[in-house]
Amino acid sequence: MAAKIHILRSDLANKIAAGEVVQRPASAVKELLENSLDASARSITVIIQDAGKVLLQVVDDGEGMSHEDAVQAFKRHATSKISTPEDLEHITTLGFRGEALASIGAVAQVELKTRTDGEEVGTLVRVEGDDVKEVTRAACEKGTSVAVRNLFYNTPGRRNFLKSQQTERKNTTDVVTRMALSFPEVSWQYVSDGETLLTLTPASFEDRVRDIVGKKQFEQLVRVKETTEYLSIDGFIGRPDFVRRNRTEQFLFLNRRFIVNRAINHAVFQAYEHLLVKGAFPFFVLNLSVDPHNVDVNVHPSKMEVKFENESNIYRFVLSVVKRTLAANDLVPNMEMVSRESAGMPDARLRFGGSGPVAPQDVMGIPGQFDLDQLFRRNRVPGEGVAVDSFAPVLQRDRPDRVFPQETSLNAPHEGRAIWQVHNKYILSQIKTGIMIVDQHVAHERILYERVLASFENNLPSSQQLLFPQTAELTPGDYSLAKDLLPHLETLGFVLKPFGKNTMMIEGIPADVRIGSERKILQELLDEFRNNEHHATMDARDNLAKSFACKAAVKAGDRLTAQEMISLIDQLFLTTMPYVCPHGRPVVIKISIDELDKRFGRT
Ligand code: ADP
Ligand code: MG
């Protein structure tokens, strides 16, 4: 029988390879840009027509190619970037597979013009559907220009498969944006159908990020930076109230290559904990650098996936760095005024998630609460207005009877610690940047929650012995639940002895529980524990910690002394996540001086 196997003709092989390397105009642009950057270009222009379907062209001022190399470059597996198997172990260039030009040449009409520094005249190569149609000397600038016309003209299946102009253009714009973020030292120009969409001059990384996201949005970002021996991270993350509805504004670069990595994305997401609403995604631009030996970029022809030697370490690193950055930057959603234009926008409460008790309207401008307008008017020095720093003292001096009826909540006992309790519910205090309002109940909840988790972790209960042990009669169900939870309850600080007949002897209680309410707290704790049991994700200890924190915390309506308020706030800011309670409700709202100024028409 005759042999059936034969080697594919190169044009067919290239067409097949093209299917993986070049799926759409954007992927062709990406490959061309990688080549320009690998050739050390300092200035790159991208031109597209009809979303790249009619024309896509990349012009660079990089090293260029010799006459010989220019022809060679279109062959399959032609590359100048690696030569030995060892090279594959530490890739430092964006390209290395030697298949981009071959693939593009197989499915389009390509014109390449290139010249190196040493040559007087350059080279022109025309390739069409894998056929080299023309190779001549041609005058051109130093660098390389690749013009790709009628992409997929000979693979109609592929061409029909393309999405709308708008979508394809957006994909290309995304590619250019990513590259521009990752290579700020390069100047970029991006032209679509004759319209210049992007002009970027060489800049620092920070300035480039500002250029791309816009000045206003840039203010919503904070820097993330950390270097270890094995790995470094540098970038920007969005404040929790600067959320996106999708993942398109998540830029992850590994050794300057844009990558898609679910684990790392998840690590960032996880770091925001409850700070994000369901369906919201944080903005980030993160550059990771690792030794190329420790990462494999040869996973897929598109080179967007990578395999890390130690992904779980990287996950933990990213998680902790982002988490720390959020905590260190005092990231409370800044309250935005509810202006007419933004009336339809989600308010601070929505941005937080849960059904938070504090909506901006509750604090600002509702008559009968703080009549801020009136107060300020009364104290205005003609032509001067009220210095915002004197805001708090002004409130107490002039309207104590109306605004703060409780004696206990009147004074700021320490220099610089102006603090008041409002309606026995919120704590108002002056801070450097403006004012801060804390929900006393959820603040205390957060503190207790973390304390309980710590005692679980260290197995160090902090308990107070009762002088007169109490008996608590429980329902049979609660009694057996309490017995089941006994070891955990003890870690929490309870000292309980089953006394028979559904009765528990309470001999000690957690240090945070007020003497006199020991029976009540045990009962409430068990009730809350049951309520939470429907949440499948909560384990018993987490449930117990949350239930206890909720029930032992001061309530709305509890009057606090100034000392208690100060201690509460100090402890709050020692927690890892001061801005959200364990259920995801907001704890703190800030109003910046800027916002107040805006509100009073001082800007
Ligand atoms: P790879 O980038 O994986 O090496 P390509 O098919 O993309 O494969 O390119 C083949 C070769 O052509 C490159 O290795 C490089 O030597 C050369 N080349 C391609 N584009 C450029 C460019 N813009 N400037 C200089 N050389 C280029
Ligand atoms: Mg390449």
Side-chain angles (χ1 to χ4, degrees), residues 10-11 14-15 65 67 69-76 99-113 123-136 145-154:
S10 87
D11 59 336
N14 286 341
K15 253 187 177 176
M65 284 173 264
H67 187 77
D69 280 348
V71 185
Q72 193 79 336
F74 282 94
K75 299 212 172 112
R76 203 152 140 73
E99 50 190 9
L101 287 183
S103 299
I104 296 170
V107 293
Q109 296 149 350
V110 182
E111 187 180 279
L112 171 117
K113 278 193 205 166
T123 305
L124 180 147
V125 180
R126 277 201 311 114
V127 175
E128 201 174 309
D130 211 46
D131 277 340
V132 180
K133 297 275 183 192
E134 187 182 352
V135 181
T136 48
S145 154
V146 183
V148 178
R149 290 194 171 78
N150 304 318
L151 187 65
F152 302 134
Y153 78 101
N154 56 352

Coordinates of all heavy atoms in Angstrom, one line a residue, residues 10-11 14-15 65 67 69-76 99-113 123-136 145-154:
S10 N 4.3 24.2 3.1 CA 4.6 25.3 4.1 C 3.4 26.3 4.2 O 3.1 26.8 5.3 CB 5.9 25.9 3.8 OG 5.7 27.0 2.9
D11 N 2.8 26.6 3.0 CA 1.7 27.6 3.1 C 0.5 27.1 4.0 O -0.1 27.8 4.7 CB 1.2 28.0 1.7 CG 0.7 26.9 0.9 OD1 1.1 25.7 1.2 OD2 -0.1 27.1 0.0
N14 N 1.6 27.0 7.6 CA 1.6 28.4 8.1 C 0.1 28.9 8.4 O -0.1 29.6 9.3 CB 2.3 29.4 7.2 CG 3.8 29.2 7.3 OD1 4.3 28.6 8.3 ND2 4.5 29.6 6.3
K15 N -0.7 28.5 7.5 CA -2.1 28.9 7.7 C -2.7 28.3 9.0 O -3.4 28.9 9.7 CB -3.0 28.3 6.5 CG -3.4 29.4 5.5 CD -4.4 28.8 4.5 CE -4.9 29.8 3.6 NZ -5.8 29.3 2.5
M65 N 16.1 45.3 10.0 CA 16.7 44.0 9.6 C 17.6 44.2 8.3 O 17.3 45.1 7.5 CB 15.6 43.1 9.2 CG 14.8 42.5 10.4 SD 13.4 41.5 9.8 CE 12.1 42.7 10.0
H67 N 19.1 43.1 4.7 CA 18.4 42.6 3.5 C 18.1 41.1 3.6 O 17.0 40.6 3.3 CB 19.3 42.9 2.3 CG 18.6 42.6 1.0 ND1 17.7 43.4 0.4 CD2 18.8 41.6 0.1 CE1 17.3 42.9 -0.8 NE2 17.9 41.8 -1.0
D69 N 18.1 39.1 6.3 CA 17.1 38.8 7.4 C 15.7 39.1 7.0 O 14.8 38.4 7.4 CB 17.5 39.6 8.7 CG 18.6 38.9 9.4 OD1 19.0 37.8 9.1 OD2 19.2 39.5 10.3
A70 N 15.5 40.2 6.2 CA 14.1 40.6 5.9 C 13.4 39.5 5.2 O 12.2 39.4 5.4 CB 14.2 41.9 5.1
V71 N 14.0 38.8 4.3 CA 13.4 37.7 3.6 C 13.2 36.5 4.5 O 12.1 35.9 4.5 CB 14.2 37.3 2.3 CG1 13.5 36.3 1.5 CG2 14.5 38.6 1.5
Q72 N 14.2 36.3 5.2 CA 14.3 35.1 6.1 C 13.1 35.2 7.2 O 12.6 34.2 7.6 CB 15.6 35.1 6.8 CG 16.0 33.9 7.6 CD 16.4 32.8 6.7 OE1 16.1 32.7 5.5 NE2 17.2 31.8 7.2
A73 N 12.9 36.4 7.6 CA 11.9 36.7 8.7 C 10.6 36.0 8.5 O 9.9 35.7 9.5 CB 11.8 38.2 9.0
F74 N 10.2 35.9 7.2 CA 8.8 35.4 7.0 C 8.8 33.8 7.0 O 7.7 33.3 6.8 CB 8.3 35.9 5.6 CG 7.8 37.3 5.7 CD1 8.7 38.4 5.4 CD2 6.5 37.6 6.1 CE1 8.2 39.7 5.5 CE2 6.1 38.9 6.2 CZ 6.9 39.9 5.9
K75 N 9.9 33.2 7.1 CA 9.9 31.8 7.1 C 9.4 31.3 8.5 O 9.6 31.9 9.5 CB 11.3 31.2 6.8 CG 11.8 31.7 5.4 CD 12.7 30.6 4.8 CE 13.1 31.0 3.4 NZ 14.5 31.3 3.3
R76 N 8.9 30.1 8.4 CA 8.4 29.5 9.7 C 9.6 29.1 10.6 O 10.6 28.7 10.1 CB 7.6 28.3 9.4 CG 6.6 27.9 10.4 CD 5.4 27.2 9.8 NE 5.0 26.0 10.6 CZ 4.4 26.2 11.7 NH1 4.1 27.4 12.2 NH2 4.0 25.2 12.4
E99 N 7.2 32.5 14.7 CA 6.0 32.2 13.8 C 5.1 33.3 13.5 O 4.2 33.2 12.7 CB 5.3 31.0 14.4 CG 4.8 31.2 15.8 CD 4.3 29.9 16.4 OE1 4.3 28.8 15.8 OE2 3.7 30.0 17.5
A100 N 5.3 34.5 14.1 CA 4.4 35.6 13.8 C 4.4 36.1 12.4 O 3.3 36.1 11.7 CB 4.7 36.8 14.8
L101 N 5.5 36.5 11.9 CA 5.6 37.0 10.5 C 5.1 35.9 9.5 O 4.4 36.2 8.6 CB 6.9 37.6 10.2 CG 7.3 38.9 10.8 CD1 8.6 39.4 10.4 CD2 6.2 40.0 10.6
A102 N 5.6 34.7 9.7 CA 5.2 33.6 8.9 C 3.6 33.4 8.9 O 3.0 33.3 7.8 CB 5.8 32.3 9.3
S103 N 3.1 33.5 10.0 CA 1.6 33.3 10.2 C 0.9 34.5 9.5 O -0.1 34.2 8.8 CB 1.2 33.2 11.6 OG 1.8 32.1 12.2
I104 N 1.3 35.7 9.8 CA 0.6 36.8 9.2 C 0.7 36.8 7.7 O -0.2 37.0 6.9 CB 1.2 38.1 9.8 CG1 0.9 38.2 11.3 CG2 0.5 39.4 9.1 CD1 1.6 39.3 12.0
G105 N 2.0 36.5 7.2 CA 2.2 36.4 5.8 C 1.3 35.4 5.1 O 1.0 35.5 3.9
A106 N 0.9 34.3 5.8 CA 0.1 33.3 5.2 C -1.3 33.7 5.0 O -2.0 33.1 4.2 CB 0.2 32.0 6.1
V107 N -1.8 34.7 5.8 CA -3.2 35.0 5.7 C -3.5 36.4 5.4 O -4.6 36.9 5.6 CB -3.9 34.6 7.1 CG1 -3.9 33.1 7.3 CG2 -3.2 35.4 8.2
A108 N -2.5 37.1 4.8 CA -2.8 38.5 4.4 C -1.8 38.9 3.3 O -1.0 38.1 2.8 CB -2.6 39.4 5.6
Q109 N -1.9 40.2 2.9 CA -1.0 40.8 2.0 C -0.1 41.7 2.8 O -0.6 42.7 3.3 CB -1.7 41.5 0.9 CG -2.6 40.6 0.0 CD -3.8 41.2 -0.6 OE1 -4.2 42.3 -0.2 NE2 -4.5 40.4 -1.4
V110 N 1.2 41.3 2.8 CA 2.1 42.1 3.8 C 3.2 42.8 3.0 O 3.8 42.2 2.1 CB 2.7 41.1 4.8 CG1 3.6 41.8 5.8 CG2 1.7 40.3 5.5
E111 N 3.4 44.0 3.4 CA 4.5 44.7 2.9 C 5.5 45.2 4.0 O 5.0 45.9 4.9 CB 4.0 46.0 2.1 CG 5.1 46.7 1.4 CD 4.6 47.9 0.6 OE1 4.0 47.7 -0.5 OE2 4.7 49.0 1.2
L112 N 6.7 44.7 4.0 CA 7.6 45.0 5.0 C 8.7 45.9 4.4 O 9.3 45.6 3.4 CB 8.3 43.7 5.5 CG 9.5 43.9 6.5 CD1 9.2 43.3 7.8 CD2 10.7 43.2 5.9
K113 N 9.0 47.0 5.1 CA 10.1 47.9 4.7 C 11.0 48.0 5.9 O 10.5 48.2 7.1 CB 9.6 49.3 4.4 CG 9.0 49.4 3.0 CD 8.9 50.9 2.8 CE 7.8 51.2 1.7 NZ 7.5 52.6 1.7
T123 N 15.3 47.6 2.6 CA 14.7 46.4 1.9 C 13.2 46.5 1.9 O 12.6 46.9 2.9 CB 15.2 45.1 2.5 OG1 16.6 45.1 2.6 CG2 14.7 43.9 1.7
L124 N 12.6 46.1 0.8 CA 11.2 46.0 0.7 C 10.8 44.5 0.4 O 11.4 43.9 -0.5 CB 10.6 46.9 -0.3 CG 9.0 46.9 -0.5 CD1 8.5 48.3 -0.9 CD2 8.6 45.8 -1.5
V125 N 10.0 43.9 1.2 CA 9.5 42.5 0.9 C 8.0 42.5 0.9 O 7.4 43.1 1.8 CB 10.0 41.6 2.0 CG1 9.5 40.1 1.7 CG2 11.5 41.6 2.2
R126 N 7.5 41.9 -0.2 CA 6.0 41.8 -0.3 C 5.7 40.3 -0.3 O 6.2 39.5 -1.0 CB 5.5 42.4 -1.6 CG 5.3 43.9 -1.4 CD 4.3 44.5 -2.4 NE 4.6 44.2 -3.8 CZ 3.8 43.4 -4.5 NH1 2.6 42.9 -4.0 NH2 4.1 43.1 -5.7
V127 N 4.8 40.0 0.6 CA 4.4 38.6 0.8 C 2.9 38.5 0.7 O 2.2 39.4 1.2 CB 4.9 38.0 2.1 CG1 4.3 36.6 2.4 CG2 6.4 38.0 2.3
E128 N 2.4 37.5 0.0 CA 0.9 37.4 -0.1 C 0.5 36.0 0.0 O 1.0 35.1 -0.8 CB 0.5 38.0 -1.5 CG -0.9 38.4 -1.6 CD -1.2 39.1 -2.9 OE1 -0.5 40.0 -3.3 OE2 -2.2 38.6 -3.6
G129 N -0.2 35.6 1.0 CA -0.6 34.2 1.2 C 0.5 33.3 1.1 O 0.5 32.3 0.4
D130 N 1.6 33.6 1.9 CA 2.8 32.8 2.0 C 3.7 32.9 0.8 O 4.8 32.2 0.8 CB 2.4 31.4 2.3 CG 3.5 30.7 3.2 OD1 3.9 31.3 4.2 OD2 3.9 29.5 2.8
D131 N 3.3 33.5 -0.3 CA 4.2 33.7 -1.5 C 5.0 35.0 -1.4 O 4.4 36.0 -1.2 CB 3.4 33.8 -2.7 CG 3.0 32.4 -3.2 OD1 3.6 31.4 -2.8 OD2 2.0 32.3 -4.0
V132 N 6.3 34.8 -1.5 CA 7.1 36.1 -1.6 C 7.0 36.7 -3.0 O 7.4 36.1 -3.9 CB 8.6 35.8 -1.3 CG1 9.4 37.1 -1.3 CG2 8.7 35.1 0.1
K133 N 6.3 37.8 -3.1 CA 6.0 38.4 -4.4 C 7.1 39.3 -4.9 O 7.2 39.5 -6.0 CB 4.7 39.2 -4.3 CG 3.5 38.3 -4.0 CD 2.9 37.7 -5.3 CE 1.7 36.9 -4.9 NZ 1.2 36.0 -6.0
E134 N 7.8 39.9 -3.9 CA 8.8 40.9 -4.3 C 9.8 41.1 -3.2 O 9.5 41.2 -2.0 CB 8.0 42.3 -4.6 CG 8.9 43.3 -5.2 CD 8.1 44.7 -5.4 OE1 6.9 44.7 -5.2 OE2 8.8 45.6 -5.7
V135 N 11.0 41.2 -3.6 CA 12.1 41.6 -2.7 C 13.0 42.6 -3.4 O 13.6 42.3 -4.5 CB 13.0 40.4 -2.3 CG1 14.1 40.9 -1.3 CG2 12.2 39.3 -1.7
T136 N 13.0 43.9 -3.0 CA 13.8 44.9 -3.7 C 14.5 45.8 -2.6 O 14.1 45.8 -1.5 CB 13.0 45.8 -4.6 OG1 11.9 46.3 -3.8 CG2 12.6 45.1 -5.8
S145 N 8.8 48.9 9.1 CA 7.4 49.2 8.9 C 6.7 47.9 8.3 O 7.2 47.4 7.3 CB 7.1 50.4 8.0 OG 5.9 50.2 7.4
V146 N 5.7 47.4 9.0 CA 5.0 46.3 8.4 C 3.6 46.7 8.2 O 2.9 47.1 9.1 CB 5.1 45.0 9.4 CG1 4.4 43.8 8.8 CG2 6.5 44.7 9.8
A147 N 3.1 46.6 6.9 CA 1.7 46.9 6.6 C 1.0 45.6 6.2 O 1.5 44.9 5.4 CB 1.7 47.9 5.5
V148 N -0.1 45.3 6.9 CA -0.8 44.1 6.7 C -2.2 44.5 6.1 O -3.0 45.2 6.7 CB -1.0 43.3 8.0 CG1 -1.8 42.1 7.8 CG2 0.4 43.0 8.7
R149 N -2.4 44.0 4.8 CA -3.6 44.4 4.2 C -4.5 43.2 4.1 O -4.1 42.0 3.9 CB -3.4 45.0 2.8 CG -2.7 46.3 2.9 CD -2.8 47.1 1.6 NE -2.3 48.5 1.8 CZ -1.0 48.8 2.0 NH1 -0.1 47.9 1.9 NH2 -0.7 50.1 2.2
N150 N -5.8 43.4 4.2 CA -6.9 42.4 3.9 C -6.6 41.1 4.7 O -6.6 40.0 4.1 CB -7.0 42.1 2.4 CG -7.3 43.4 1.6 OD1 -8.1 44.2 2.1 ND2 -6.6 43.6 0.5
L151 N -6.5 41.3 6.0 CA -6.2 40.1 6.8 C -7.3 39.0 6.6 O -8.5 39.4 6.5 CB -6.2 40.6 8.3 CG -5.9 39.6 9.3 CD1 -4.4 39.1 9.2 CD2 -6.1 40.1 10.7
F152 N -6.9 37.8 6.5 CA -7.8 36.6 6.3 C -8.5 36.7 4.9 O -9.5 36.1 4.8 CB -8.8 36.6 7.4 CG -8.3 36.5 8.8 CD1 -8.8 37.2 9.8 CD2 -7.2 35.6 9.1 CE1 -8.3 37.1 11.1 CE2 -6.7 35.5 10.4 CZ -7.2 36.3 11.4
Y153 N -7.9 37.4 3.9 CA -8.5 37.4 2.6 C -8.7 36.1 2.0 O -9.6 35.8 1.2 CB -7.7 38.4 1.7 CG -6.5 37.8 1.1 CD1 -6.5 37.3 -0.2 CD2 -5.3 37.6 1.9 CE1 -5.4 36.7 -0.8 CE2 -4.2 37.1 1.3 CZ -4.2 36.6 0.0 OH -3.1 36.0 -0.5
N154 N -7.7 35.2 2.4 CA -7.7 33.8 1.8 C -8.2 32.7 2.8 O -8.1 31.6 2.5 CB -6.3 33.5 1.3 CG -5.3 33.6 2.4 OD1 -5.6 34.0 3.5 ND2 -4.1 33.1 2.1

